[in-house]
Amino acid sequence: MQIESHVLDKVNEWLTPTFDEHTQAAIREMMASNPKELEESFYKNLEFGTGGMRGVMGVGTNRINKYTLGKNTQGLSDYLIKSFPGEALKVAIAYDCRHNSDTLAKVVADVFSANGIHVYLFSEMRPTPELSFALKHLNCHAGIVLTASHNPPEYNGYKVYWQDGGQLVPPQDGEIIQVIEALNYADIRFEANDNLIEYIDTAIDEAFVASTLANASFNTPKEAREGLKIVYTSLHGTSIKAIPYVLTAAGYTDLNIVKEQAEPNGDFPTVKSPNPEEPEALTMALALANEIGADIVVGTDPDSDRLGVAVRNTNNELVLLNGNQTMVIMTAYLLEQWKRAGKINGKQFIGSTIVSTPMMLELAAAYDVECKVGLTGFKWIAKFIKDFPELQFIGGGEESFGFMVGDAVRDKDAVGATLLVCEIAAQAKASGSSLYQELLNLYVDHGFYKEHLISLTKKGISGLQEIYQMMVDLRENPVAEINGQRVVCIEDYQTSKGRDIMNGSEFDITIPKSNVLIYYLEDGSKICARPSGTEPKIKFYFSVNAPVLSLDEIDLVEAELDQKIKNIIAAMQLH
C-alpha cells in the first residue's frame, strides 16, 4: 500500500537515535509486515478529548507509549515552570490496573522529577477520584492519572488535573497543547531525580476514606445499614482499593463481593467490556445477587469513576438503572437533605451536561437552586465550582454513569457515589420503601423522563471520516420533522448558535464550542448527536417525557415513551 509522505516523515524521525532500539525494531517490523498498522500508528498525533488522552498502546505518534507521554509531561513541566515562577512545584500521579500503567506512571514521574518538580507517586494502583482528592490534599499544582477508563484492554490513557482538583479546561488545555506540539522528542528529559519522587499510600487512603464518609453519609441508622444486602463488583479494577473500606467504615456489614472479579486484571477476563454502562458487565454480580437475595448491586469501571446500579423493582426483580436514573435519584436525595437541614438559601447549584436528562432542570426548579449545564465531561462541572466560588455545589452527574457528591473530589467519583446510593437504599428499605419506589415517586412529582443512547462504533481512519460526514450531513441538511413532530429548535455547539425554527430567530450559546448538535421537538423530545472525544464512536442521545398523575399510570406511560423512542430511531434510520 502507498503510505503518505507526512506519515513516512514521522516514521523516519522515530528511526533516529532519539528513540530506543526496541521502538525502532518494532517500527521496522511493521514496515515489513503490516504497513496498514504503521499508517494507523503514525497518521496523526494523539489528542486530548473530553477525558484526556486515550489510545492504543504501541509505538508511534498515534499510540500510548513512553515517548508520547514523555512529550506530554515535558510540555506540562515547561508550562508549570512558566505558570508558577519561583514556586516549589508539586504534582501527584496515580494509575489504574491496565497493562503498563505502573511503568508508564514511573516514566511520567521520571520526567517531572528531571525537570525539578516534586512528585507524589502512589505506590500501587488507586481510584481516579482519589488522585483528584490527593492533589488538593497535598496542595499540588497538577496531577496525572494513567488510565483508559472502560476502554478495551489494548488502551491506556493520560488524564491531567489542575490545582483545583479538576481536569484541564480552557484556556490551560489549549496553552499546554501548544507547548507540547512545539517540542521535539529529543527535548524530553527522561533522567529521573529520585530524590524528588515520593511514594504515597496509606495516609492518603485514610484521608480519602474519611472525606468520603463526611461527604456521602447521611445519618442512616445502624440497623438500616446492617439491613441492606449489597453485591459489589470492581470489574477487575481499582475500586477494590477503596469501596469495601468505605462501606465497612460506614457500617454496612452485609457486603458481598464478586470474588471472580475482585482481582485487578488489565485483561478484564470475565467481561466483554469493563463498562458498567453495558448490562453484560454486571452479569456475574446480578447472578450472585439473585442467589443471595441482595437488595442492590453496584459495579464500577476500572478507574472507579463510573458506577452501574441494579435494584429490585415493584415485582421484586433486579433491574439495571441507567446513568440518568441514578443521577436523578442521588440529586433529589441530596436536595431533600439540604432542604431539611435548612441549608438552601438561593446560593446553591447542581451540575449536569447537555446530553443528560432535562429532569435535572425540573429538580433544580422544585428546590429553588440553579442547575448549571455544561458540555460532556466532569471537567466542566468542576469548572463551575471553580468559576462560581460564591455558590455551594450540592452534587451533580452525567448520563454516562458518573456522579459527584460535594466538591472534595472534582471529578466523577464512584467511591462516594456508591456510599451515597447505599445510604438512599438503606433508608428507603428501613422505611418500607425501596430505591426503585423512590424513583417512581420522583416521576409522579416531576414528570416521567425516559432516555436512550445509541452508540455507533467507527474504527480507524475511514471510521473517523464517516463520523465527520455524518455530522456534516446533519448540519447541512437539518431535519424539519421527526416521528411526526416538528423540530422547533436546533442548537449547534460548534458554531455557538441556536435557531428557533418557529420564529426564525437566532441566539448565542455561551457554553464553549464543541462538535455537538441538538434537536428539540414540539412535544418536548430532545435528540443530541455527538462524536465521542475518547473513543471511535458517534453517539445519539434521546430524551422523551410525559406527565404521570399517579403511580398506577407508570407502566402505561413508560410503554408509550419506549415506543416513542423506537419511532424516533426508526425515523432517523439509525442502525
Side-chain angles (χ1 to χ4, degrees), residues 258-279:
V258 180
K259 293 183 175 60
E260 299 90 337
Q261 297 176 328
E263 187 69 28
N265 187 330
D267 287 323
F268 313 112
T270 64
V271 292
K272 292 179 183 176
S273 169
N275 184 359
E277 292 179 82
E278 304 289 342

Side-chain angles (χ1 to χ4, degrees), residues 304-568:
S304 189
D305 58 5
R306 301 172 192 240
L307 78 161
V309 177
V311 292
R312 295 199 177 274
N313 64 13
T314 51
N315 296 320
N316 202 36
E317 302 161 330
L318 282 170
V319 291
L320 293 165
L321 302 180
N322 62 41
N324 285 301
Q325 291 172 317
T326 54
M327 168 172 57
V328 164
I329 292 168
M330 289 190 277
T331 303
Y333 177 84
L334 289 174
L335 287 167
E336 185 62 24
Q337 295 301 311
W338 278 61
K339 180 181 177 181
R340 290 180 183 178
K343 295 196 298 182
I344 293 180
N345 60 9
K347 295 183 178 180
Q348 290 75 36
F349 77 98
I350 58 174
S352 186
T353 71
I354 58 175
V355 300
S356 299
T357 178
M359 192 171 173
M360 290 289 280
L361 299 170
E362 298 294 327
L363 289 175
Y367 283 88
D368 197 26
V369 302
E370 186 177 354
C371 181
K372 291 187 178 294
V373 180
L375 295 175
T376 305
F378 258 72
K379 63 184 181 182
W380 301 108
I381 296 178
K383 188 175 188 297
F384 288 141
I385 298 172
K386 181 171 64 174
D387 290 348
F388 299 94
E390 72 279 9
L391 299 180
Q392 292 175 287
F393 176 69
I394 294 174
E398 61 180 358
E399 57 75 37
S400 59
F401 289 59
F403 197 82
M404 184 163 68
V405 188
D407 64 359
V409 170
R410 300 289 178 92
D411 202 353
K412 50 185 176 285
D413 175 11
V415 181
T418 295
L419 175 56
L420 176 60
V421 81
C422 288
E423 291 281 276
I424 302 168
Q427 291 181 18
K429 183 181 180 182
S431 65
S433 181
S434 69
L435 194 141
Y436 188 81
Q437 185 64 51
E438 294 303 303
L439 175 63
L440 299 186
N441 292 341
L442 290 173
Y443 288 151
V444 174
D445 291 342
H446 305 286
F448 198 146
Y449 283 77
K450 183 92 178 189
E451 279 75 33
H452 184 70
L453 169 67
I454 286 183
S455 186
L456 305 178
T457 300
K458 309 283 184 180
K459 291 187 177 181
I461 300 172
S462 61
L464 202 64
Q465 293 169 340
E466 193 174 346
I467 290 171
Y468 171 80
Q469 190 58 47
M470 290 175 78
M471 293 300 292
V472 168
D473 291 342
L474 284 170
R475 285 191 170 92
E476 294 183 351
N477 305 292
V479 182
E481 183 181 289
I482 300 173
N483 188 35
Q485 295 290 320
R486 289 179 299 173
V487 175
V488 296
C489 181
I490 300 175
E491 292 177 346
D492 189 343
Y493 288 79
Q494 189 158 276
T495 62
S496 298
K497 293 290 182 183
R499 190 163 80 256
D500 186 321
I501 308 299
M502 295 296 97
N503 60 26
S505 64
E506 283 199 349
F507 55 91
D508 294 329
I509 296 172
T510 56
I511 291 174
K513 292 181 184 294
S514 184
N515 190 11
V516 180
L517 201 61
I518 299 181
Y519 286 92
Y520 296 91
L521 309 187
E522 59 185 330
D523 65 352
S525 299
K526 174 183 170 184
I527 302 155
C528 174
R530 168 187 164 265
S532 171
T534 54
E535 301 171 277
K537 295 179 178 179
I538 182 168
K539 297 182 176 183
F540 292 87
Y541 306 80
F542 306 90
S543 179
V544 296
N545 65 85
V548 182
L549 299 179
S550 71
L551 290 171
D552 295 336
E553 293 184 3
I554 288 284
D555 290 343
L556 177 62
V557 172
E558 182 168 23
E560 291 173 352
L561 294 178
D562 283 337
Q563 188 58 52
K564 181 178 283 189
I565 290 172
K566 288 179 183 177
N567 293 344
I568 291 173

Side-chain angles (χ1 to χ4, degrees), residues 119-369:
V119 179
Y120 295 103
L121 175 62
F122 276 101
S123 58
E124 293 180 320
M125 66 184 72
R126 287 296 188 280
T128 288
E130 187 169 350
L131 182 278
S132 174
F133 170 83
L135 190 163
K136 292 174 63 187
H137 186 72
L138 295 167
N139 296 312
C140 293
H141 296 81
I144 303 289
V145 178
L146 280 298
T147 178
S149 189
H150 55 273
N151 283 52
E154 64 270 21
Y155 280 75
N156 214 318
Y158 181 95
K159 292 169 74 171
V160 183
Y161 292 77
W162 206 239
Q163 268 186 306
D164 64 320
Q167 288 186 55
L168 279 181
V169 292
Q172 282 88 2
D173 55 358
E175 294 170 355
I176 289 170
I177 289 168
Q178 284 185 335
V179 174
I180 292 169
E181 290 179 347
L183 288 172
N184 294 314
Y185 286 100
D187 297 328
I188 305 169
R189 300 173 186 169
F190 284 113
E191 305 78 21
N193 179 347
D194 289 330
N195 294 325
L196 291 178
I197 300 177
E198 180 180 344
Y199 287 91
I200 55 175
D201 38 48
T202 309
I204 300 299
D205 295 340
E206 291 172 352
F208 177 59
V209 169
S211 173
T212 303
L213 292 171
N215 277 290
S217 55
F218 290 87
N219 300 313
T220 303
K222 179 175 182 289
E223 299 77 17
R225 285 172 172 162
E226 292 176 350
L228 186 72
K229 188 180 285 290
I230 306 165
V231 164
Y232 153 72
T233 176
S234 60
L235 297 179
H236 305 289
T238 60
S239 71
I240 200 72
K241 298 286 186 181
I243 286 177
Y245 301 98
V246 166
L247 291 178
T248 300
Y252 289 92
T253 55
D254 200 346
L255 176 62
N256 304 273
I257 299 173
V258 180
K259 293 183 175 60
E260 299 90 337
Q261 297 176 328
E263 187 69 28
N265 187 330
D267 287 323
F268 313 112
T270 64
V271 292
K272 292 179 183 176
S273 169
N275 184 359
E277 292 179 82
E278 304 289 342
E280 181 273 335
L282 296 182
T283 299
M284 296 180 78
L286 290 170
L288 176 59
N290 279 321
E291 180 185 326
I292 66 174
D295 301 301
I296 186 169
V297 172
V298 177
T300 58
D301 68 345
D303 66 330
S304 189
D305 58 5
R306 301 172 192 240
L307 78 161
V309 177
V311 292
R312 295 199 177 274
N313 64 13
T314 51
N315 296 320
N316 202 36
E317 302 161 330
L318 282 170
V319 291
L320 293 165
L321 302 180
N322 62 41
N324 285 301
Q325 291 172 317
T326 54
M327 168 172 57
V328 164
I329 292 168
M330 289 190 277
T331 303
Y333 177 84
L334 289 174
L335 287 167
E336 185 62 24
Q337 295 301 311
W338 278 61
K339 180 181 177 181
R340 290 180 183 178
K343 295 196 298 182
I344 293 180
N345 60 9
K347 295 183 178 180
Q348 290 75 36
F349 77 98
I350 58 174
S352 186
T353 71
I354 58 175
V355 300
S356 299
T357 178
M359 192 171 173
M360 290 289 280
L361 299 170
E362 298 294 327
L363 289 175
Y367 283 88
D368 197 26
V369 302

Side-chain angles (χ1 to χ4, degrees), residues 73-74 76-78 80-81 84 86-91 108-120 141 189-197:
T73 308
Q74 184 60 54
L76 182 55
S77 298
D78 293 345
L80 286 167
I81 292 167
F84 302 100
E87 292 191 33
L89 297 173
K90 299 184 291 184
V91 300
V108 171
D110 289 348
V111 175
F112 277 130
S113 70
N115 284 275
I117 297 172
H118 189 98
V119 179
Y120 295 103
H141 296 81
R189 300 173 186 169
F190 284 113
E191 305 78 21
N193 179 347
D194 289 330
N195 294 325
L196 291 178
I197 300 177

